[in-house]
Amino acid sequence: MSAFDEAMALRAQADGGRLGYLDAGWNIIDAINGGVVMSVAATALRDELARSEGAGSVSHPDPLALSAYFLSATRPGDVRVFPQVASVGRSMSTGQVSVYQDGPDGPIERVRALATFGDLGAASDVARAPAMPDVPPPGECLDAQLAPKHLLPPMMSRLELRLDPSCVGWVFGEPARRGVIRGWMRFSDGRDMDAISLLMAVDAMPPVAFDLGLGGWVPTLELTAHVRAHPAPGWVFVELTSDTLAGGLMEEDARVWDSTGRLVVQSRQLAAVRTPT
Amino acid sequence: MSAFDEAMALRAQADGGRLGYLDAGWNIIDAINGGVVMSVAATALRDELARSEGAGSVSHPDPLALSAYFLSATRPGDVRVFPQVASVGRSMSTGQVSVYQDGPDGPIERVRALATFGDLGAASDVARAPAMPDVPPPGECLDAQLAPKHLLPPMMSRLELRLDPSCVGWVFGEPARRGVIRGWMRFSDGRDMDAISLLMAVDAMPPVAFDLGLGGWVPTLELTAHVRAHPAPGWVFVELTSDTLAGGLMEEDARVWDSTGRLVVQSRQLAAVRTPT
């Protein structure tokens, strides 16, 4: 079983919640990657929607849009996920989901999200889409695993990441300050990406703030992702950009193309940055 | 009292909800404009957050991020708004809010939203921001009021809209098909924009689908807005763009600058379009 599938394995609880477990291998520094938490939230909501739609008639299996608000940092350990159906329609269903962890004084909410599910396979025509940038193949990109082990976030043991050489100045202390970071990504254990793991992919690259010379922790306040297609097997290519940084908040946009060059998900997040003082 | 302030006037109800009224003057065709519904939702949540933060200490008065999921079309008439606090922090607070209307078989949920509030006045430095496009002043743009009255959505009696001449081909049956619509906007009754009404402004222009030759109703599934600053008095400039249309869903991005050229809000929505058959 792949590490990601293990992270998505949830057990129904008597209180209507789902119990999951996220190990420290999904950490960025000492908190679980937000993208993985979003994937867990989406998995729980997808299952709850399938249940309410009736056994054998899962018609809305794919996240089309998900908006997650990050209330506190998720730590390695048990997570309790509470999905709730808001509306079930013919072509889409919508619900909300909260992720909690136990604290010393009771449950602490980590993430609350709204999401709409549908069927990505039902309508696959592409009328307009941003073209994938012209970039070198993975073999000609910078392998993130070559960084000193103590500088790599724990989660990088789960992902292969090959950074576009034109955007890696920050690695060597010379950020380009264009607001662009991009590279190829896949699971280390060979699992292919799917609609749910794309919610991880949009939030698993080094933050674009690094390219602006802003280091440290860049906590996400809110992230909304629009999943546009099932990804083909193999690498995905992730491009992060940002053009707005004001009042201590920056926007970070992600676009992800699959190995066939099809746009499969795009997202925008609002994140807090600590500007140099 | 301005028409917009009347729409934002909510009365506390015994059940914890807020009762408001939206008249048909806010309609697009026969449904209330989604931006106005978002503004109502944000107003109710702002008030609820202020109440939970304690009288006299409203520290998070401004919406920083709001994500609205549209479950059904809002009709003219009473709206019942139920805000709920999720977390109260030092610099930000987060909550959720639902908007209902009474239906023949009970309440029908129209919109569910999550939002984070803070203080836009607390940190106003701008490190990076997209520049406002170089466009003609309002007096040299196309006054939307010159259109035949029967073609104007009812809401256009509440707004002055001056469309950039470079993006109005669709008005004359010749859409440019670039995926850009832009123009100046202000309230007809002289009320200035504020952080709450910016949530209306991002969803009140003719949909960018028109510039792609796609007519008709373009219902929003989800819209997330990031408010970045209090707008200066006077006109705001709204630019809509889109580069993704696939599987019957399109993304529409809005950026709004105030009369000083400062970026004050940006948003992205996912909307359903009916492609020509």
Side-chain angles (χ1 to χ4, degrees):
Chain A
M1 195 179 197
S2 81
F4 187 78
D5 288 321
E6 280 178 19
M8 297 303 118
L10 304 174
R11 281 179 296 148
Q13 303 290 291
D15 60 4
R18 310 278 197 284
L19 178 66
Y21 181 81
L22 296 173
D23 68 42
W26 295 110
N27 268 6
I28 305 292
I29 312 179
D30 60 351
I32 299 291
N33 167 257
V36 173
V37 183
M38 287 190 289
S39 295
V40 169
T43 298
L45 184 53
R46 181 193 61 191
D47 294 349
E48 183 67 15
L49 287 169
R51 207 167 63 95
S52 79
E53 288 162 351
S57 67
V58 183
S59 50
H60 306 145
D62 304 313
L64 304 181
L66 181 139
S67 300
Y69 282 68
F70 292 82
L71 306 177
S72 56
T74 303
R75 304 299 178 187
D78 287 345
V79 291
R80 297 174 194 282
V81 193
F82 291 86
Q84 180 205 347
V85 176
S87 78
V88 174
R90 190 179 52 82
S91 58
M92 296 170 203
S93 294
T94 297
Q96 82 171 61
V97 52
S98 286
V99 178
Y100 289 88
Q101 290 188 303
D102 290 336
D105 305 313
I108 303 170
E109 191 170 4
R110 301 307 194 192
V111 171
R112 191 178 298 195
L114 297 174
T116 291
F117 282 67
D119 184 353
L120 285 170
S124 56
D125 64 291
V126 178
R128 286 165 63 90
M132 188 171 135
D134 185 23
V135 289
E140 297 171 23
C141 290
L142 181 71
D143 186 345
Q145 301 293 345
L146 298 179
K149 284 282 172 276
H150 70 280
L151 293 180
L152 279 178
M155 188 185 183
M156 287 309 300
S157 65
R158 300 272 161 83
L159 293 175
E160 283 188 65
L161 196 59
R162 305 290 170 87
L163 296 168
D164 177 355
S166 76
C167 309
V168 295
W170 60 273
V171 176
F172 307 103
E174 293 177 9
R177 300 183 195 276
R178 290 184 303 150
V180 180
I181 285 185
R182 54 196 190 187
W184 300 92
M185 181 187 292
R186 66 180 179 187
F187 285 112
S188 306
D189 60 13
R191 183 195 193 275
D192 279 314
M193 292 283 177
D194 57 12
I196 294 279
S197 65
L198 290 178
L199 300 171
M200 178 279 298
V202 296
D203 197 36
M205 292 276 287
V208 71
F210 289 0
D211 183 62
L212 298 175
L214 305 167
W217 185 238
V218 187
T220 305
L221 280 64
E222 180 272 334
L223 189 151
T224 295
H226 296 163
V227 182
R228 305 307 302 259
H230 289 296
W235 294 95
V236 295
F237 184 78
V238 184
E239 179 179 67
L240 304 183
T241 58
S242 175
D243 61 13
T244 310
L245 168 57
L249 299 175
M250 76 182 301
E251 140 275 358
E252 179 182 283
D253 292 350
R255 296 200 283 200
V256 180
W257 293 265
D258 70 9
S259 58
T260 72
R262 177 163 186 177
L263 181 84
V264 289
V265 63
Q266 49 191 352
S267 73
R268 174 173 291 168
Q269 67 172 274
L270 191 65
V273 293
R274 296 193 182 84
T275 44
T277 51
Chain B
M1 194 182 197
S2 81
F4 188 78
D5 289 321
E6 281 178 19
M8 297 303 117
L10 303 174
R11 282 180 295 149
Q13 303 290 291
D15 61 2
R18 311 278 197 285
L19 178 65
Y21 181 81
L22 296 173
D23 68 41
W26 296 110
N27 268 6
I28 305 292
I29 311 179
D30 60 351
I32 299 290
N33 168 256
V36 172
V37 182
M38 287 191 289
S39 295
V40 168
T43 298
L45 185 53
R46 180 194 61 193
D47 295 350
E48 183 68 15
L49 286 169
R51 207 168 64 93
S52 80
E53 288 162 351
S57 67
V58 183
S59 49
H60 305 145
D62 303 314
L64 303 180
L66 179 139
S67 300
Y69 282 68
F70 292 83
L71 306 176
S72 56
T74 304
R75 304 299 177 185
D78 287 347
V79 291
R80 298 175 192 282
V81 192
F82 291 86
Q84 180 205 347
V85 175
S87 77
V88 174
R90 191 178 53 80
S91 58
M92 295 170 206
S93 295
T94 297
Q96 81 172 61
V97 52
S98 287
V99 178
Y100 289 87
Q101 291 188 303
D102 290 336
D105 304 315
I108 303 171
E109 190 169 4
R110 300 309 194 192
V111 171
R112 190 177 299 195
L114 297 173
T116 291
F117 282 67
D119 184 352
L120 286 170
S124 57
D125 66 290
V126 178
R128 287 165 62 89
M132 187 170 135
D134 185 22
V135 289
E140 298 171 22
C141 289
L142 181 71
D143 186 346
Q145 301 294 343
L146 299 178
K149 285 282 173 276
H150 70 281
L151 292 181
L152 279 176
M155 187 185 183
M156 288 308 301
S157 65
R158 300 272 159 83
L159 294 175
E160 283 189 65
L161 195 60
R162 306 289 170 87
L163 296 169
D164 177 354
S166 77
C167 310
V168 294
W170 60 273
V171 176
F172 307 103
E174 292 177 9
R177 299 181 194 277
R178 290 184 302 151
V180 180
I181 285 185
R182 55 196 191 189
W184 299 93
M185 182 187 291
R186 66 180 178 188
F187 285 112
S188 305
D189 60 12
R191 183 195 194 275
D192 279 315
M193 291 284 175
D194 56 13
I196 294 279
S197 64
L198 290 178
L199 299 171
M200 177 280 299
V202 297
D203 197 37
M205 292 277 285
V208 72
F210 289 180
D211 183 61
L212 299 175
L214 305 167
W217 183 240
V218 187
T220 304
L221 279 63
E222 180 272 333
L223 189 153
T224 294
H226 296 164
V227 182
R228 304 307 302 257
H230 289 295
W235 293 96
V236 296
F237 185 78
V238 185
E239 179 179 67
L240 304 183
T241 58
S242 175
D243 61 12
T244 310
L245 167 57
L249 298 175
M250 76 183 299
E251 139 275 357
E252 178 183 284
D253 292 351
R255 297 200 282 201
V256 180
W257 293 265
D258 70 9
S259 56
T260 72
R262 177 163 187 179
L263 181 83
V264 289
V265 62
Q266 51 191 351
S267 73
R268 175 172 291 168
Q269 65 172 273
L270 191 65
V273 292
R274 294 189 185 87
T275 44
T277 51

